[in-house]
Amino acid sequence: MTQKTRAGQYHLFAMPMGSGGHMAGWRHEEAEPAALMTLGYWQHIARTAERGMFDALFLADSQGFRPIAGVDAFAATDAIRLDPLVLHGALAASTQNLGLVATVSTSYNEPYAIARRLSTLDHVSAGRAAWNVVTSTSENEAHNFGREAHYGHAERYARAEEAIAVCKGLWDGWEDGAVIADKASGVFFEAAKVNGLYHKGEHFCVAGPLTMGRSPQGHPLIVQAGASEEGLELAARTADAVFTSHPTMESGVAFYAGLKKRVAAAGRDPESLRIMTAIQPVPAVTAEQAEAEAKALNEAIPPKLALSYLKTVLGGIDLSRYDLDGPLPELPDSNASLGTRQRIIDMGASGMTLGEIAVAVAASRTSRSLAGTAATIADELERWYEARACDGFVIAPPSLPVMLDRFVDLVVPELQRRGRVRTAYKGSTLRENLGLGRPQSCYTVDPALRAEPEIWQG
Ligand SMILES: Cc1cc2nc3c(=O)[nH]c(=O)nc-3n(C[C@H](O)[C@H](O)[C@H](O)COP(=O)(O)O)c2cc1C
């Protein structure tokens, strides 16, 4: 191994998607798709991530069924998603140190409810809650929440920005030390340290305050994964961590430099935002075994299904009339994720055929698939980290729980030997483990902002 040029340890987030992030992952002989809706399955995954010293467990989500035209039954495990906040409530009691990242959409949730549930999770987990802010990408979510069509891209980001501001305002509302519970004087909380919000915005009207005191982390960590111009600008202004995904290290390096520059331009310290890139590892004891497993998984995806899946992620663009062995055709506009669309265009520009792109996207969305021994995988992570493609990794195992078990048993000890992963948790909150500061309430920072208590008491 060459001399390290970049100090520090990697941050690791586990991203268990159902029975695995690979479309055919559930068919692996050691996958456990039948256990997907049991608490024991998720407890095993959470405890394994904690055993592997991961910073956090990230539960992705969509509040709707995402059918894949014509062949729904094959990808059925993708259709099953338990509610992340409810599940994390249970996992908080099954773990001690692991951060708990819940995906909650600002398009189909009211910010008061978001702030309240996440603050509850931060309290009951003693400071381990994080919010993956998403704007939703599927039409079906709109149909489940009283709308005929999903919000347009600009409108959903405007809602997200306002929702984050409302949540932060609510979380700041109770200053540290407001609850005194003084039995002798009979004073339960210090009214001057509880502030209403009185927000009247374009999308939301929220009076506040919340029904609970300030949470251990000040407020839960804010995570985002949007890759569009609006998404990146919002992240630069408001996120503590960003999830991203890149088929090549070069695009990761460009993304990293660009986003850190935006964070600085937004008046923040670039080090106050952690950039985490998703990889899909297939670790095995020998390189031959890892490659054979990765190949078998890809061959278990029917090409027609891969093309249908590509249509889904591209927001309905049907490419079935094109030659699978030919190049990616020019893509018309759609209301889908702009980031995903751009990564697909990049794959086409790199010379991949339409068929290869379809299988690669079905296999690992757009993240880097990485099959090999512990040493090979560790070398590749090292290369990305050293090149400043990321501050850490979102580990998205293709088959569960088998590939997370293997990552923790084979790869983590190798990363620990190289000094890149902790051998014991040092902090007691997720912010501490990520080396991020605890935000103060804006009212504590500037007491002049405090409002008269009688307003909210009425
Ligand atoms: C690692 C990673 C995880 C993501 N998880 C979710 C998720 O759980 N739910 C969701 O709706 N979108 C998820 N996304 C998509 C983004 O949050 C974002 O909504 C999408 O990229 C569309 O935004 P854009 O148009 O700004 O790219 C994820 C993206 C990445 C890279």
Side-chain angles (χ1 to χ4, degrees):
M1 207 188 17
T2 51
Q3 190 75 32
K4 286 186 184 123
T5 56
R6 188 178 175 198
Q9 294 183 330
Y10 309 147
H11 297 292
L12 292 180
F13 282 39
M15 181 184 179
M17 309 253 299
S19 319
H22 189 291
M23 187 181 275
W26 66 280
R27 300 175 79 189
H28 188 282
E29 58 182 0
E30 292 174 64
E32 294 177 20
L36 201 48
M37 289 174 281
T38 66
L39 178 59
Y41 177 83
W42 293 101
Q43 280 175 320
H44 173 84
I45 286 172
R47 287 171 177 151
T48 304
E50 191 163 68
R51 185 162 63 80
M53 296 292 149
F54 277 61
D55 292 88
L57 180 76
F58 159 46
L59 296 179
D61 194 35
S62 152
Q63 299 179 100
F65 187 60
R66 285 199 208 186
I68 298 173
V71 264
D72 298 350
F74 180 90
T77 65
D78 198 36
I80 292 179
R81 288 187 195 89
L82 302 185
D83 185 284
L85 274 168
V86 176
L87 192 48
H88 272 327
L91 298 178
S94 315
T95 52
Q96 283 78 46
N97 298 101
L98 191 66
L100 305 166
V101 189
T103 298
V104 186
S105 168
T106 52
S107 296
Y108 304 110
N109 284 287
E110 285 289 318
Y112 190 88
I114 297 175
R116 188 165 184 258
R117 286 190 246 136
L118 279 159
S119 188
T120 301
L121 183 64
D122 206 39
H123 278 290
V124 301
S125 67
R128 296 186 280 135
W131 174 20
N132 176 35
V133 183
V134 299
T135 63
S136 297
T137 46
S138 82
E139 285 297 315
N140 183 246
E141 285 184 75
H143 302 163
N144 292 335
F145 289 87
R147 286 181 61 88
E148 302 225 328
H150 189 20
Y151 296 100
H153 197 266
E155 188 176 6
R156 57 189 196 243
Y157 269 105
R159 280 178 65 96
E161 175 126 37
E162 194 177 325
I164 292 171
V166 168
C167 287
K168 284 189 167 172
L170 289 168
W171 289 327
D172 274 359
W174 286 71
E175 296 173 47
D176 288 314
V179 180
I180 48 178
D182 184 356
K183 290 183 183 171
S185 66
V187 177
F188 181 61
F189 67 82
E190 230 178 288
K193 289 188 176 170
V194 180
N195 305 278
L197 186 66
Y198 325 112
H199 174 85
K200 281 199 168 66
E202 196 173 325
H203 304 281
F204 307 108
C205 285
V206 182
L210 269 190
T211 58
M212 67 199 75
R214 193 163 177 79
S215 73
Q217 294 190 101
H219 59 73
L221 201 80
I222 306 263
V223 182
Q224 281 164 52
S228 60
E229 183 64 24
E230 289 92 338
L232 293 171
E233 279 301 310
L234 181 62
R237 286 193 293 274
T238 60
D240 298 300
V242 160
F243 295 153
T244 181
S245 126
H246 298 276
T248 66
M249 190 186 81
E250 290 66 31
S251 74
V253 170
F255 177 90
Y256 185 95
L259 182 53
K260 292 274 174 163
K261 222 165 128 187
R262 284 179 198 257
V263 176
R268 297 174 58 200
D269 175 2
E271 291 303 311
S272 67
L273 180 137
R274 301 275 177 261
I275 299 179
M276 313 282 302
T277 194
I279 66 148
Q280 190 189 79
V282 182
V285 174
T286 67
E288 294 71 31
Q289 190 194 345
E291 271 149 35
E293 279 190 74
K295 188 161 173 272
L297 280 174
N298 283 357
E299 285 173 357
I301 305 174
K304 235 182 97 193
L305 176 68
L307 212 53
S308 296
Y309 183 68
L310 195 62
K311 177 176 170 181
T312 306
V313 301
L314 285 173
I317 301 173
D318 187 358
L319 302 176
S320 59
R321 67 179 190 281
Y322 295 96
D323 180 8
L324 282 176
D325 296 323
L328 180 75
E330 199 166 315
L331 302 177
D333 286 343
S334 76
N335 194 23
S337 157
L338 298 178
T340 304
R341 175 194 167 87
Q342 188 54 48
R343 288 190 290 272
I344 290 167
I345 292 172
D346 291 346
M347 287 176 169
S350 78
M352 291 170 74
T353 64
L354 174 60
E356 285 168 348
I357 293 171
V359 169
V361 172
S364 64
R365 317 287 151 141
T366 52
S367 59
R368 169 90 164 88
S369 181
L370 197 50
T373 61
T376 319
I377 292 175
D379 284 348
E380 186 67 355
L381 300 191
E382 189 66 19
R383 206 168 69 86
W384 283 52
Y385 182 74
E386 285 276 10
R388 290 190 186 272
C390 59
D391 298 312
F393 299 90
V394 176
I395 305 298
S399 294
L400 286 162
V402 51
M403 297 293 177
L404 181 64
D405 292 348
R406 273 199 223 162
F407 187 87
V408 167
D409 292 333
L410 301 177
V411 185
V412 169
E414 178 64 28
L415 297 174
Q416 287 171 327
R417 257 193 299 281
R418 299 179 183 204
R420 289 306 197 183
V421 166
R422 63 171 72 87
T423 52
Y425 289 101
K426 294 212 172 69
S428 65
T429 68
L430 176 57
R431 281 186 187 280
E432 284 169 6
N433 283 323
L434 287 172
L436 298 172
R438 182 181 187 274
Q440 277 191 301
S441 162
C442 63
Y443 301 101
T444 308
V445 175
D446 182 3
L449 294 174
R450 286 178 184 155
E452 292 302 315
E454 54 267 26
I455 301 178
W456 55 258
Q457 279 172 349

